């Protein structure tokens, strides 16, 4: 099937922020649009609000007056569900309750024509379960837009267990005709984005709960070292702690309380205390008095350290190999030594500097770990971790080395996998697991994570950049130190890493 003809009416049921956004998208694509809401007067108010937004687009010269007038003429509030009989597509954006959605679609099934496509915008409920209430679930599909729908390009097109291929294809092509970037996925808890994004929040919270670093420092490292647009704490304050925790809890419950998706106790305490983020004036950060940068205190930044006279490079540093060029450019001599298993820098003090690998500094004599960066040249901050037994001289030299490269340095606790490295490794793992289980393709997952949550790279782009074995090795080491199962690499990631070794003549 192809996209719906533009002459075909589209209905949106539910006129909150998301419903209005979806209606605006369909309207500007050229469809006649019907708006319905069970609350009297809301559909008319929503139509007026949409027209007001179109007026603002005209004022900003993003829409012509003629196109605005034509769109306004195609927008019609509906007094009753019975007014939707001629619609070719009905998109639901009502309360996130299974019983409410099932009842709505049962009623719609008796009103619309047999060829009408029925879609839900749910972000947390099972598309299969909602469609299970229908006599003809084959025409039922998930169309998960991201807020604000008129601006964000991603749409997850979700096929329930009983969804016909023709229905999913029609929904996909229609979303693309509306100027969106659709990705196809199976009906799994969290779909693509909300499933694979969980570690971004969970690992930041876990580092904080382990007293590894404060929220402002963790956020700064994720932004300035990892390349993420926002840190986990500031982002959840923006989303709303109750909203973010609800999604996490839903995914965790839907996966039968899989330990990989366990919610954060610290976040639960925030929600219980009513500190929901920006909307209440207090979340992880305090917004009530305008303190700090948008309520954020300053991250921990180390005092000037001692620039080492030279460094000895044992091995190529793997994903951090570009550091060698940066060190030379800073005027610090680099002596290179071939080491079969070495991927570290040796400092004049005799201490070692190594890329985060899932182990802890306390296990070794005088080792300082540094975190993974998206781009070591462009990164403005680097995190270091050390134990109580690390030589102050070694830590000072490690700090001074990165400061000589023009980086701010944050020293965190002896946390295995640090901040960016463990976060990226877990995202990569969940992405491989999702592909292996038929949730989506590698390309669609990368697209979804870049567009849906604005990640600097998709999980498979990270995986290719870091090497086939990198994420598996780091998580395997983390799992040894935390055998709860949270960090146990998936079978899919194991196969990915083992296949690489096997082709090179190695073993698992």
């Amino acid at each position: 099937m192809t996209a719906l003809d533009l002459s075909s009416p589209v209905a949106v049921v539910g006129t909150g922020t998301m419903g209005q956004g979806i209606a605006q998208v369909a309207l500007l694509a050229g469809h006649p649009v019907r708006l319905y809401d069970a609350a009297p007067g809301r559909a008319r108010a929503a139509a007026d609000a949409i027209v007001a937004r179109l007026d603002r687009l005209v004022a900003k010269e993003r829409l012509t007056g003629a196109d605005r007038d034509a769109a306004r003429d195609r927008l019609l509030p509906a007094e009753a569900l019975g007014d939707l009989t001629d619609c070719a597509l009905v998109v639901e954006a009502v309360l996130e309750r299974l019983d409410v959605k099932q009842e709505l679609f049962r009623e719609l099934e008796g009103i619309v024509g047999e060829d009408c496509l029925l879609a839900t915008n749910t972000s947390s409920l099972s598309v299969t379960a909602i469609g299970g209430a229908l006599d003809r679930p084959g025409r039922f599909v998930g169309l998960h837009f991201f807020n604000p729908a008129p601006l964000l390009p991603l749409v997850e097109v979700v096929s329930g267990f009983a969804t016909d291929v023709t229905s999913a294809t029609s929904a996909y092509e229609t979303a693309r005709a509306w100027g969106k970037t659709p990705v196809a996925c199976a009906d799994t808890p969290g779909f693509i984005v909300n499933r694979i994004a969980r570690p971004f929040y969970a690992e930041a919270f876990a580092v904080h709960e382990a007293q590894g670093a404060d929220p402002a420092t963790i956020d700064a490292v994720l932004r300035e070292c990892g390349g993420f647009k926002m840190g986990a704490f500031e982002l959840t304050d923006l989303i709303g702690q109750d909203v973010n925790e609800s999604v996490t809890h839903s995914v965790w419950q839907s996966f039968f309380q899989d330990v990989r998706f366990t919610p954060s106790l610290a976040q639960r305490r925030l929600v219980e205390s009513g500190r929901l983020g920006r909307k209440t004036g207090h979340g992880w950060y305090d917004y009530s008095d305008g303190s700090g940068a948008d309520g954020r205190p300053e991250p921990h930044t180390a005092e000037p350290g001692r620039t080492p006279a030279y460094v000895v490079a044992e091995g190529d540093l793997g994903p951090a190999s570009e550091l060698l060029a940066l060190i030379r450019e800073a005027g610090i001599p680099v002596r290179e030594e071939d080491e079969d298993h070495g991927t570290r820098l040796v400092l004049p003090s005799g201490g070692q500097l190594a890329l985060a690998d899932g182990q802890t500094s306390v296990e070794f004599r005088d080792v300082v770990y540094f975190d993974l960066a998206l781009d070591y040249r462009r990164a403005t901050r680097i995190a270091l971790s050390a134990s109580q037994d690390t030589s102050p001289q070694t830590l000072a030299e490690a700090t001074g080395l990165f400061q000589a490269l023009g980086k701010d340095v944050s020293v965190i606790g002896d946390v295995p996998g640090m901040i960016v490295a463990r976060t990226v490794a877990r995202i990569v793992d969940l992405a491989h697991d999702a592909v292996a289980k038929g949730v989506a393709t590698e390309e669609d997952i990368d697209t979804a994570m870049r567009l849906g949550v604005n990640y600097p790279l998709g999980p498979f782009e990270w995986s290719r950049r870091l090497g086939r074995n990198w994420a598996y090795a780091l998580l395997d080491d983390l799992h040894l130190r935390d055998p709860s199962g949270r960090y146990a690499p998936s079978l899919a990631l194991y196969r990915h890493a083992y296949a690489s070794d096997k082709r090179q003549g190695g073993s698992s």
Side-chain angles (χ1 to χ4, degrees):
M1 291 185 67
T2 58
L4 296 178
D5 189 273
L6 291 181
S7 63
S8 303
V10 171
V12 177
V13 178
T15 58
T17 300
M18 185 58 77
Q20 290 182 33
I22 296 169
Q24 181 177 326
V25 170
L27 191 65
L28 291 182
H31 289 273
V33 173
R34 312 275 193 269
L35 277 176
Y36 174 77
D37 197 291
R42 283 192 182 174
R44 169 57 64 185
D48 291 343
I50 292 171
V51 171
R53 283 197 292 274
L54 299 184
D55 289 340
R56 289 195 290 273
L57 291 177
V58 172
K60 295 176 181 178
E61 299 184 346
R62 296 177 183 174
L63 186 69
T64 67
D67 286 342
R68 182 267 319 278
D69 294 343
R72 182 182 57 204
D73 293 342
R74 292 193 303 270
L75 182 60
L76 180 66
E79 298 295 330
L81 282 178
D83 295 338
L84 311 182
T85 54
D86 62 338
C87 290
L89 167 65
V90 179
V91 183
E92 162 273 316
V94 302
L95 188 66
E96 283 286 274
R97 273 181 44 186
L98 180 61
D99 59 336
V100 172
K101 293 179 187 291
Q102 287 178 329
E103 182 179 353
L104 170 64
F105 282 109
R106 275 195 295 263
E107 189 172 355
L108 280 169
E109 193 172 35
I111 293 171
V112 299
E114 291 187 358
D115 58 348
C116 177
L117 188 64
L118 300 176
T120 175
N121 182 60
T122 185
S123 61
S124 60
L125 299 177
S126 165
V127 171
T128 300
I130 300 171
L134 300 177
D135 292 331
R136 295 183 55 221
R139 60 169 164 172
F140 186 74
V141 67
L143 274 178
H144 181 216
F145 290 77
F146 288 73
N147 193 30
L151 297 180
L152 295 186
L154 184 69
V155 177
E156 292 177 318
V157 181
V158 186
S159 293
F161 186 77
T163 302
D164 292 335
V165 173
T166 53
S167 297
T169 302
S170 179
Y172 185 97
E173 294 300 334
T174 297
R176 184 157 62 178
W178 291 358
K180 296 301 181 181
T181 303
V183 292
C185 66
D187 185 21
T188 185
F191 309 142
I192 297 175
V193 172
N194 281 330
R195 171 178 177 154
I196 295 174
R198 293 347 296 162
F200 179 74
Y201 312 107
E203 294 313 306
F205 298 163
V207 171
H208 172 54
E209 290 179 21
Q211 301 295 299
D214 61 279
T217 299
I218 295 170
D219 276 355
V221 172
L222 287 168
R223 288 193 315 270
E224 300 170 36
C225 182
F228 293 95
K229 297 298 183 184
M230 297 182 75
F233 297 90
E234 58 186 331
L235 180 55
T236 53
D237 268 357
L238 179 64
I239 294 168
Q241 299 302 332
D242 52 339
V243 174
N244 182 260
E245 192 212 26
S246 176
V247 173
T248 298
H249 196 270
S250 174
V251 172
W252 175 61
Q253 289 284 20
S254 297
F255 276 113
F256 308 104
Q257 300 186 357
D258 186 330
V259 68
R260 295 176 301 166
F261 301 102
T262 301
S264 162
L265 181 59
Q267 188 180 40
R268 175 93 289 263
R269 293 292 178 257
L270 273 185
V271 174
E272 290 174 338
S273 68
R275 295 185 171 186
L276 306 182
R278 288 179 178 269
K279 61 187 177 184
T280 62
H282 206 304
W284 294 108
Y285 303 122
D286 184 357
Y287 305 91
S288 61
D289 59 0
S291 60
D294 292 329
R296 220 174 39 232
E298 290 298 314
H300 167 76
T301 301
E303 296 296 324
R306 179 185 309 167
T307 302
Y310 66 89
V311 296
V312 178
E314 296 184 348
D316 63 3
L317 297 186
S321 58
E322 67 179 320
L323 277 176
L324 299 182
L326 297 180
I327 294 170
R328 290 190 177 96
E329 290 170 17
I332 301 173
V334 177
R335 305 173 187 172
E336 295 194 54
E337 295 184 359
D338 291 332
E339 291 284 340
D340 290 340
H341 303 290
T343 54
R344 58 195 175 186
L345 296 174
V346 180
L347 300 166
S349 64
Q352 299 174 7
L353 188 59
L355 176 62
D357 59 7
Q359 301 181 88
T360 56
S361 179
V362 75
E363 300 171 51
F364 305 99
R365 186 189 67 82
D366 218 12
V367 169
V368 173
Y369 280 105
F370 65 93
D371 210 347
L372 177 70
L374 173 68
D375 183 331
Y376 283 98
R377 183 173 294 276
R378 295 183 179 181
T380 58
R381 182 177 300 272
I382 296 292
L384 302 179
S385 70
S387 75
Q388 66 271 21
D389 297 329
T390 303
S391 160
Q393 183 179 358
T394 295
L395 183 57
E397 287 181 342
T399 300
L401 174 64
F402 282 104
Q403 289 171 337
L405 306 186
K407 318 297 183 187
D408 288 328
V409 174
S410 292
V411 179
I412 70 171
D414 191 14
V415 179
M418 300 192 68
I419 298 170
V420 180
R422 70 196 289 175
T423 299
V424 170
R426 287 209 58 217
I427 289 171
V428 167
D429 182 45
L430 290 185
H432 278 280
D433 185 54
V435 169
K437 291 176 178 172
V439 172
T441 66
E442 291 186 8
E443 181 180 3
D444 276 355
I445 288 175
D446 276 354
T447 298
M449 301 313 291
R450 286 196 312 269
L451 299 183
V453 278
N454 209 15
Y455 283 4
L457 292 175
F460 293 97
E461 291 173 315
W462 271 114
S463 187
R464 288 187 290 272
R465 175 183 288 200
L466 297 170
R468 295 176 64 94
N469 192 54
W470 179 85
Y472 176 81
L474 187 144
L475 290 176
D476 195 41
D477 277 336
L478 264 171
H479 178 55
L480 289 174
R481 288 151 185 82
D482 179 358
S484 65
R486 179 188 181 103
Y487 300 104
S490 67
L491 180 58
L493 191 64
Y494 172 79
R495 285 172 171 156
H496 179 75
Y498 176 76
S500 173
D501 289 342
K502 187 174 182 180
R503 279 195 293 272
Q504 296 171 5
S507 60
S508 58

